[in-house]
Amino acid sequence: MKKMATLGISARSGPAQLIQTEAATQNYSRPLAIVTTLFFMWGFLTCLNDILIPHLNAIFDLSYARVMLIQFSFFSAYFLFSVPWSKVVNTIGYKTTMVVGLLTMAVGAFLFIPSASVVSYPLFLAALLVLAAGITGLQVSANPYVDLLGKPETASSRLDLTQAFNSLGTTIAPKIGGLLILSAAPLAIAQLLQLTPEAQHLYRVQQASSVKMPYTAIGVALLLLAVLIGLSKLPKIETATTLPGQEGDDSIWKHRNLLLGALGIFAYVGAEVSIGSFLVNYFGLPEIAALSAKIAAGYVSFYWGGAMIGRFIGAPLLQRFKPGYLLALCAVAAATLVITSMLTTGHTACGRYSPLASSTRSCSPPFSA
């Protein structure tokens, strides 16, 4: 009997249809609420990168190309570990995969402690890769699990609603991260170059140590969440299987909605992550707002807050209108706002980013369309 992970995307036939029909007859509000905490946590951790970028940039005096290795390392985990995690789901199930993913994330969070102690940029990147590998496991298990907890026709709305809490985490993270990690104003490059090598090293150790407490607390929280998920009585939803006598010839390339959805996610995630990563530096430009890094970090929350509002708005809209039409409308709106910010300065340029996030997130490509 050949197993195949049930992703609940466009075609629902055979065993996948039976699983979905059975799930639709029960009330899964409580397990859905428990799994939603995972969406919040990985959103929070993902957007802490927007604070790490200016912080590590100040410590190591990096170019924009090198500092963006933070996001490259983080999001490379999705490309590297998605398929292996899908095989893990097929082997140990959704719930256990969530627990293993949380434990992997905890390891990555705790790796920030030695990274800060030795002030090593490569170690920071390695810690981020491990952390993101765990997040990938959560996404591979939690997204299809939520998709299957209810009626097929409301799967898009259900995913959008749970991911609204993901956006709540992304909204809170920049503000908290700014307070904890960017609490001390960094020295200017000219000031740093005037220090002796020993003084520069001590300065970098002091600046890097600001990440120890936040990521230690995060690691402990992840361990507690892993225990909570492990002890929770979540409904067991089997992965779809190929029945005896049937050929397992299904392929992702046969699902048009999946392919177009993947392309849409590639575009919108690339855009929103790139924008969020540079907002602290963007708001610090003299012709834009001339804000300090700590103050700018608070304003980044408005960007991700717009994404949260877009999610909550998108959930009911996706029940009333075709997702494809809404996606096209939001894409045009997002492009218009980006162009407006590029062509203007001051508060006009800054103010485009909260509605921009709402546009990108309210109709992010739904696989269940």
Side-chain angles (χ1 to χ4, degrees):
M1 182 177 290
K2 182 179 178 181
K3 291 187 174 181
M4 178 181 62
T6 304
L7 297 180
I9 30 185
S10 54
R12 301 177 185 273
S13 59
Q17 179 67 53
L18 294 176
I19 293 170
Q20 188 77 34
T21 302
E22 181 180 355
T25 63
Q26 302 184 41
N27 184 356
Y28 286 142
S29 298
R30 183 175 178 276
L32 190 61
I34 293 174
V35 175
T36 298
T37 62
L38 304 181
F39 286 76
F40 172 86
M41 183 57 75
W42 83 58
F44 184 92
L45 290 171
T46 299
C47 276
L48 271 186
N49 291 352
D50 295 343
I51 305 304
L52 279 177
I53 286 173
H55 185 62
L56 296 183
N57 186 34
I59 295 174
F60 296 103
D61 187 21
L62 303 170
S63 65
Y64 280 126
R66 288 192 65 200
V67 79
M68 284 306 289
L69 288 175
I70 292 173
Q71 296 291 34
F72 181 81
S73 298
F74 189 89
F75 286 96
S76 290
Y78 290 78
F79 178 77
L80 295 173
F81 300 113
S82 291
V83 173
W85 274 116
S86 69
K87 297 182 183 300
V88 172
V89 171
N90 280 333
T91 303
I92 63 178
Y94 293 108
K95 176 182 172 180
T96 307
T97 303
M98 294 177 201
V99 173
V100 175
L102 286 166
L103 294 176
T104 305
M105 291 167 62
V107 172
F110 288 131
L111 283 175
F112 275 77
I113 300 173
S115 301
S117 297
V118 300
V119 197
S120 170
Y121 188 52
L123 277 182
F124 274 116
L125 297 180
L128 284 167
L129 183 65
V130 175
L131 180 65
I135 293 176
T136 304
L138 285 191
Q139 295 217 30
V140 169
S141 55
N143 275 307
Y145 189 79
V146 168
D147 179 84
L148 293 171
L149 287 179
K151 299 178 181 179
E153 57 268 23
T154 60
S156 294
S157 175
R158 193 163 54 252
L159 280 168
D160 208 57
L161 183 61
T162 55
Q163 289 170 3
F165 289 91
N166 173 273
S167 294
L168 177 62
T170 64
T171 301
I172 296 173
K175 184 65 175 179
I176 296 178
L179 293 174
L180 297 178
I181 298 175
L182 300 178
S183 56
L187 295 178
I189 299 300
Q191 294 174 304
L192 186 61
L193 293 177
Q194 292 176 359
L195 299 177
T196 64
E198 293 79 9
Q200 288 184 17
H201 178 72
L202 290 175
Y203 167 77
R204 290 191 170 97
V205 170
Q206 180 186 21
Q207 288 289 308
S209 65
S210 64
V211 306
K212 289 183 179 180
M213 188 273 287
Y215 278 90
T216 299
I218 288 169
V220 172
L222 290 169
L223 291 177
L224 294 176
L225 190 55
V227 173
L228 172 65
I229 296 294
L231 296 178
S232 299
K233 295 181 179 179
L234 298 179
K236 185 177 182 181
I237 300 180
E238 300 290 346
T239 55
T241 57
T242 302
L243 298 178
Q246 291 183 339
E247 292 186 5
D249 60 349
D250 194 20
S251 169
I252 61 172
W253 306 108
K254 295 181 180 180
H255 300 287
R256 181 174 177 271
N257 283 1
L258 170 62
L259 298 177
L260 294 178
L263 179 61
I265 284 181
F266 174 83
Y268 109 81
V269 171
E272 75 168 6
V273 168
S274 299
I275 290 171
S277 299
F278 287 118
L279 277 184
V280 171
N281 299 93
Y282 184 70
F283 291 158
L285 295 175
E287 65 272 22
I288 301 300
L291 299 178
S292 67
K294 182 178 179 180
I295 295 175
Y299 282 96
V300 176
S301 291
F302 287 99
Y303 173 71
W304 293 110
M308 179 182 65
I309 293 172
R311 285 291 195 196
F312 282 111
I313 294 175
L317 289 179
L318 286 168
Q319 294 185 11
R320 298 173 62 90
F321 304 101
K322 289 185 176 181
Y325 294 156
L326 287 176
L327 179 61
L329 177 63
C330 290
V332 172
T336 301
L337 290 167
V338 169
I339 293 172
T340 301
S341 184
M342 291 170 59
L343 298 178
T344 57
T345 59
H347 295 296
T348 302
C350 288
R352 301 309 97 192
Y353 282 98
S354 183
L356 167 63
S358 296
S359 298
T360 57
R361 276 293 180 99
S362 61
C363 297
S364 56
F367 279 166
S368 299

